[in-house]
């Protein structure tokens, strides 16, 4: 919050009348998308595996489509096929081409936290329709971070989740800065703009690129070798996203 306030306090103040008129919908988006989603993700990652988390997060595009359909939004057939193809690509990639590995996955409490986080992100993404068009991206992001931080502050100040004491060092400081700047500010801004430009169903499918980017970064920075199943998985994910974009363009 301290990092972004100097840059967003002016647009928030300039658009205070818009924020006041739509305060409760904006507050709902902040609580669900910032406070709720992040809390569930970080709690879940403490007791589940990265593989489980990736697989569960891959359900977000499906949850978005299901929730959108229940709310009356028409989903094109090619979009549905695209989601299915890219989902299969994610499963193939994280299972290293051996689908039998799915049978060895164990379910624990962390998986439930991640599943709830996926549901919250789907609700947040669909709920972005409540954001007034005249509210700037900077003001909306700044307000979301401020409200989300205020909601989460009791968890930190009173240590309601019994977390161990955080000690500052170079590694911890770098992790906090990276999470605050890239995984929070930049990611939320890009996601909000993407949903506005291509629609929630198409934007949701890009979540399937997370394991692809993870693989690419591992090859680039820690010298992992690119395997055949990673190429096939990435190809399937890309094909599914292309189908979804094609359907969205025709629509």
């Amino acid at each position: 919050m301290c990092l972004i306030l100097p840059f967003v306090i002016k647009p928030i103040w300039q658009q205070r009348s818009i924020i006041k008129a739509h305060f409760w919908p904006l507050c709902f988006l902040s609580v669900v998308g910032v406070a709720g989603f992040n809390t569930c993700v970080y709690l879940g990652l403490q007791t589940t595996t990265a593989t489980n988390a990736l697989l569960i997060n891959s359900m977000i595009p499906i949850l978005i489509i299901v929730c959108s359909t229940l709310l009356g939004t028409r989903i094109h057939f090619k979009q549905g096929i695209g989601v299915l193809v890219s989902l299969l690509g994610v499963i193939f990639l994280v299972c290293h081409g051996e689908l039998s590995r799915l049978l060895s996955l164990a379910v624990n409490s962390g998986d439930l936290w991640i599943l709830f986080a996926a549901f919250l992100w789907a609700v947040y993404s669909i709920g972005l329709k409540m954001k007034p068009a005249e509210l700037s991206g900077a003001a909306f992001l700044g307000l979301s971070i401020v409200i989300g931080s205020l909601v989460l502050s009791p968890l930190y100040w009173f240590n309601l989740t019994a977390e161990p004491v955080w000690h500052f060092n170079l590694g911890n400081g770098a992790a906090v800065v990276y999470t605050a700047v890239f995984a929070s500010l930049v990611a939320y801004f890009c996601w909000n703009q993407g949903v506005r430009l291509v629609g929630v169903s198409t934007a949701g499918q890009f979540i399937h690129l997370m394991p692809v980017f993870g693989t690419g970064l591992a090859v680039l920075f820690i010298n992992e070798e690119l395997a055949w199943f990673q190429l096939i998985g990435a190809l399937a994910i890309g094909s599914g996203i292309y189908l979804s974009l094609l359907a969205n363009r025709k629509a």
Side-chain angles (χ1 to χ4, degrees):
M1 184 174 73
C2 295
L3 288 174
I4 195 175
L5 266 182
F7 303 100
V8 300
I9 192 167
K10 183 177 180 180
I12 289 177
W13 177 254
Q14 291 175 335
Q15 296 190 290
R16 62 188 182 279
S17 59
I18 301 173
I19 293 172
K20 183 179 180 180
H22 300 86
F23 178 75
W24 290 113
L26 293 173
C27 188
F28 171 78
L29 291 174
S30 302
V31 172
V32 171
V34 177
F37 172 75
N38 286 291
T39 299
C40 292
V41 165
Y42 292 124
L43 286 174
L45 286 173
Q46 294 183 28
T47 54
T48 191
T49 64
T51 298
N52 282 23
L54 277 173
L55 287 171
I56 296 171
N57 269 323
S58 294
M59 294 176 61
I60 291 178
I62 297 175
L63 291 172
I64 288 176
I65 287 180
V66 171
C67 292
S68 297
T69 303
L70 291 175
L71 293 174
T73 302
R74 183 171 174 264
I75 303 299
H76 293 274
F77 177 75
K78 283 187 177 179
Q79 280 183 309
I81 296 298
V83 169
L84 178 61
V85 171
S86 57
L87 175 61
L88 292 175
V90 171
I91 294 174
F92 194 82
L93 194 155
V94 299
C95 292
H96 294 192
E98 300 175 8
L99 298 182
S100 59
R101 290 193 177 200
L102 290 175
L103 300 176
S104 63
L105 295 177
V107 178
N108 55 49
S109 59
D111 296 327
L112 298 179
W113 282 113
I114 299 295
L115 181 60
F116 189 56
F119 172 74
L120 290 178
W121 190 253
V123 172
Y124 170 76
S125 300
I126 296 171
L128 285 174
K129 293 180 179 180
M130 296 188 295
K131 172 187 171 295
E134 60 272 24
L135 184 64
S136 68
F140 175 62
L141 177 62
L143 182 71
S144 298
I145 297 297
V146 169
I147 293 177
S149 299
L150 291 176
V151 171
L152 289 176
S153 59
L155 294 177
Y156 175 77
W157 294 116
F158 300 104
N159 197 16
L160 299 180
T161 55
E163 294 291 321
V165 178
W166 187 81
H167 297 285
F168 177 79
N169 56 49
L170 185 60
N172 288 341
V176 168
V177 171
Y178 173 82
T179 302
V181 175
F182 296 102
S184 296
L185 302 182
V186 176
Y188 272 93
F189 181 80
C190 291
W191 180 261
N192 294 342
Q193 293 298 103
V195 170
R196 181 179 66 85
L197 292 172
V198 302
V200 62
S201 297
T202 300
Q205 199 164 340
F206 280 81
I207 291 174
H208 286 156
L209 286 172
M210 286 196 298
V212 177
F213 288 139
T215 298
L217 292 172
V219 172
L220 185 62
F221 290 108
I222 58 178
N223 299 319
E224 284 194 5
E225 293 185 3
L226 192 62
W228 64 271
F229 61 83
Q230 293 169 332
L231 292 174
I232 294 176
L235 180 62
I237 292 169
S239 300
I241 292 175
Y242 175 76
L243 282 173
S244 184
L245 289 173
L246 190 63
N248 188 59
R249 184 181 302 172
K250 289 183 177 180

